[in-house]
Amino acid sequence: MVTGLIVKIGTGNTFFCINMHKMLFKLQKIFYYNGVGSILCRQNRGFDMEYNIKNAYCKRVWDDVSKRYADQDHFLQAVGLVLEAISPAVDKMPQLEEYAVLERMVEPERIVMFRVPWTDDHGKPHVNRGFRVQFNSAIGPYKGGLRFSPEVGLDVLKFLGFEQVLKNSLTTLPMGGGKGGSDFDGHGKSDAEIMRFCQSFMTELYRHIGPDTDVPAGDKGVGGKEVAYMFGQYKRLRNEYTGVLTGKGLTFGGSLARTEATGYGLIYFAECMLAKKGQDFKGKTAIISGDGNVAQYACEKLIQLGGKPLTLSDSSGYILDEEGITQEKLDYVKEFRARKEKVDAYVKKYPNAKFFKGEKPWGVKAELAFPCATQDEIYEEDAKKMVANGVKLVAEGANMPTRAEAIKYFQSNGVTFAPGKASNAGGVAVSGLEMSQNSERLSWTFEEVDAKLKQIMTNIHDNAYENAKKYATEGDYVAGANIAGFVKVATAMVAQGLV
């Protein structure tokens, strides 16, 4: 039987395709799937964003990279925002052009691509694609997560790796930037299937990583179980026990507070933002997207500091609890998430809450917003709703969840905005602390790690704030974070010569 899909944009454009997935792939430059049943036109969503890049050198590099990688939307947004933000700093660093620093910064040092063959529980063979983008090692070994998810490809991984370079620089720890993963989808797979995939993935990846070369971690689709399987295979292949992966279990070199780190760090950063305005979290309402580790622990720390979280979400929709999500309710979220249930399980336990199928939480009235799900969550129309509903502060818990046009709308309407490379750096910061513990053969207490995390996030905030004040506009955390991260990496690249 022939099945198909008809998509209409406006009144005159109709496309027919026998296979929906092939159509979405072939037309990915024009359309995208929003995850909740709609296919939307990219041209109406800001993918052709214009950037106000004032420095001539930055502009020339942007013109070149935007032509060369015209099909890589996420990577281009990341590069465009950075080049726009760092222009004032580049004005004062003429030596950068002599050493082609910007041309080198936008190109990964190395990209590794490989096939990952594995068999399912019925003996059927499958082949996925594996990647490692080793972006920049000027200030330390490559460091960044592994993502197992169907959307993984060079565009997504290059954007994540590029952002990781600056994020890791901001922590002040000696870590370069990289990212990797596979288009493997672990949903519905047995533990045995996941183990076989992870072992096959590491059978190739192990050749390219090491404690002083490249130290991967987990990311979307890669939790403690997957990290453990990959660590075991690396140990088997290399016949050595080293801290080659972070996010490990506590019994074999992991760090306390690593699970909580990104969410807690996000709230520590936002706490500093509020303090600059003479405010704190007490009594303030917040909307949070996502219901994974970042969202859960951002919610937890927010509750501890007196805030009132109202929402959580997943790909099926969002829940709104106008009474506020308490620690008891959050503990239940952790329970049903562990059972891999959807977020609507919340309203079955707490019927006063509401579930909005297929919607995002950005229309809810609140003072604070923490996007913690994935990239491309907030577009300009979402930003307009949020501003209209009283949101005064947005801090990113996910990687680039806010599109460029939405960021500009926030900034032009008095919303204090923190980019993920600064506000969600807590995860990689504690990964760096795990590397330190592994090197010293020590294990710190939860309180020790949490205190170091809070100090790192405070330092990142202060560094971003001061650089914004020096080079751009006071309170512009986008400019401040990008400049602070960039200057350290660029200075190291100049010192090391043309490599």
Side-chain angles (χ1 to χ4, degrees):
M1 183 178 74
V2 176
T3 60
L5 176 71
I6 293 179
V7 180
K8 290 187 177 181
I9 305 296
T11 58
N13 300 309
T14 303
F15 297 91
F16 177 79
C17 187
I18 298 297
N19 184 296
M20 176 179 177
H21 297 290
K22 287 182 179 178
M23 183 206 71
L24 291 176
F25 177 77
K26 290 179 180 178
L27 301 181
Q28 63 180 330
K29 295 182 185 178
I30 306 173
F31 307 107
Y32 74 95
Y33 179 59
N34 74 351
V36 290
S38 299
I39 295 173
L40 302 171
C41 183
R42 288 186 186 273
Q43 294 172 349
N44 295 329
R45 307 289 291 200
F47 281 81
D48 296 323
M49 185 73 193
E50 291 291 329
Y51 299 97
N52 185 24
I53 300 171
K54 296 180 179 179
N55 176 270
Y57 177 34
C58 291
K59 182 66 167 63
R60 194 179 77 247
V61 171
W62 169 250
D63 289 342
D64 183 52
V65 77
S66 61
K67 291 174 185 174
R68 186 181 306 136
Y69 300 116
D71 60 333
Q72 297 181 3
D73 296 311
H74 297 94
F75 176 59
L76 288 182
Q77 170 167 299
V79 172
L81 286 171
V82 168
L83 291 176
E84 180 181 75
I86 66 174
S87 284
V90 176
D91 284 340
K92 299 181 180 182
M93 302 174 73
Q95 71 275 25
L96 300 184
E97 188 167 5
E98 179 184 352
Y99 285 88
V101 168
L102 294 182
E103 291 91 338
R104 290 186 286 143
M105 279 201 75
V106 299
E107 293 291 344
E109 293 178 8
R110 188 176 299 103
I111 296 177
V112 181
M113 297 177 59
F114 51 95
R115 65 174 179 250
V116 187
W118 59 283
T119 56
D120 63 26
D121 290 339
H122 304 289
K124 182 180 178 181
H126 300 266
V127 179
N128 286 90
R129 296 185 302 160
F131 304 86
R132 188 64 178 172
V133 178
Q134 296 176 329
F135 221 105
N136 193 296
S137 61
I139 62 172
Y142 309 107
K143 185 81 190 79
L146 295 170
R147 175 175 293 195
F148 292 171
S149 188
E151 83 273 8
V152 166
L154 284 181
D155 176 30
V156 169
L157 293 179
K158 284 176 66 180
F159 123 64
L160 291 170
F162 181 75
E163 289 281 290
Q164 197 77 47
V165 174
L166 301 179
K167 180 189 299 187
N168 292 358
S169 173
L170 285 168
T171 69
T172 73
L173 299 172
M175 300 182 294
K179 208 75 178 183
S182 173
D183 55 1
F184 173 77
D185 186 356
H187 290 96
K189 306 292 193 302
S190 70
D191 283 352
E193 288 172 327
I194 291 172
M195 181 185 70
R196 288 193 292 272
F197 174 82
C198 288
Q199 289 176 340
S200 181
F201 182 83
M202 184 53 73
T203 298
E204 175 59 33
L205 186 66
Y206 91 97
R207 309 171 196 276
H208 311 287
I209 63 175
D212 298 314
T213 304
D214 186 349
V215 184
D219 193 83
K220 181 180 177 183
V222 179
K225 174 172 64 180
E226 290 81 7
V227 168
Y229 288 148
M230 288 188 283
F231 180 77
Q233 184 71 352
Y234 181 90
K235 184 164 60 71
R236 170 201 274 176
L237 293 167
R238 295 297 296 264
N239 191 30
E240 62 183 31
Y241 194 103
T242 58
V244 72
L245 288 155
T246 57
K248 301 185 294 297
L250 295 176
T251 57
F252 54 98
S255 175
L256 289 164
R258 177 60 186 91
T259 303
E260 296 86 353
T262 308
Y264 277 21
L266 171 66
I267 302 304
Y268 290 147
F269 191 96
E271 184 179 30
C272 293
M273 296 170 73
L274 288 172
K276 281 292 182 184
K277 297 175 176 292
Q279 302 175 20
D280 57 29
F281 284 114
K282 291 178 182 176
K284 284 187 169 56
T285 53
I287 46 179
I288 300 174
S289 68
D291 68 346
N293 276 350
V294 180
Q296 288 174 22
Y297 290 104
C299 189
E300 182 168 281
K301 183 55 67 174
L302 189 61
I303 293 167
Q304 292 173 8
L305 296 177
K308 184 180 179 181
L310 302 175
T311 68
L312 291 169
S313 71
D314 64 14
S315 59
S316 67
Y318 77 91
I319 61 101
L320 168 63
D321 189 336
E322 294 178 335
E323 298 172 358
I325 300 171
T326 63
Q327 187 62 52
E328 177 188 338
K329 294 173 180 178
L330 181 60
D331 289 340
Y332 180 65
V333 173
K334 294 177 184 179
E335 288 178 23
F336 73 68
R337 273 284 295 168
R339 298 193 297 267
K340 299 189 181 301
E341 295 181 25
K342 290 292 188 180
V343 76
D344 63 347
Y346 186 98
V347 299
K348 298 172 185 175
K349 176 84 169 180
Y350 303 105
N352 287 339
K354 300 174 184 177
F355 173 66
F356 296 84
K357 184 177 180 181
E359 296 185 30
K360 299 183 290 185
W362 310 128
V364 174
K365 187 176 180 62
E367 297 159 273
L368 314 171
F370 301 102
C372 298
T374 189
Q375 69 263 16
D376 298 338
E377 293 186 64
I378 300 176
Y379 290 85
E380 187 173 10
E381 58 264 39
D382 301 310
K384 289 178 179 178
K385 292 178 188 176
M386 295 162 75
V387 170
N389 281 316
V391 169
K392 298 297 183 185
L393 181 149
V394 178
E396 294 184 326
N399 291 309
M400 212 167 75
T402 313
R403 293 299 302 179
E405 73 279 5
I407 295 173
K408 293 184 184 299
Y409 189 83
F410 284 138
Q411 292 176 324
S412 62
N413 284 274
V415 175
T416 306
F417 178 85
K421 64 169 60 69
S423 55
N424 77 15
V428 74
V430 173
S431 282
L433 298 179
E434 182 177 329
M435 291 167 66
S436 298
Q437 292 170 79
N438 291 167
S439 296
E440 297 180 43
R441 299 293 195 268
L442 295 175
S443 182
W444 299 331
T445 66
F446 185 98
E447 291 72 21
E448 286 178 297
V449 177
D450 190 41
K452 292 178 187 294
L453 168 64
K454 185 170 185 178
Q455 187 59 57
I456 288 172
M457 297 309 298
T458 300
N459 292 343
I460 292 173
H461 170 273
D462 293 349
N463 198 8
Y465 189 89
E466 290 304 317
N467 273 275
K469 187 176 180 180
K470 179 179 178 181
Y471 290 103
T473 303
E474 186 173 0
D476 184 348
Y477 290 97
V478 174
N482 280 310
I483 291 169
F486 167 76
V487 168
K488 181 179 179 181
V489 176
T491 302
M493 292 176 69
V494 169
Q496 294 167 24
L498 193 62
V499 295

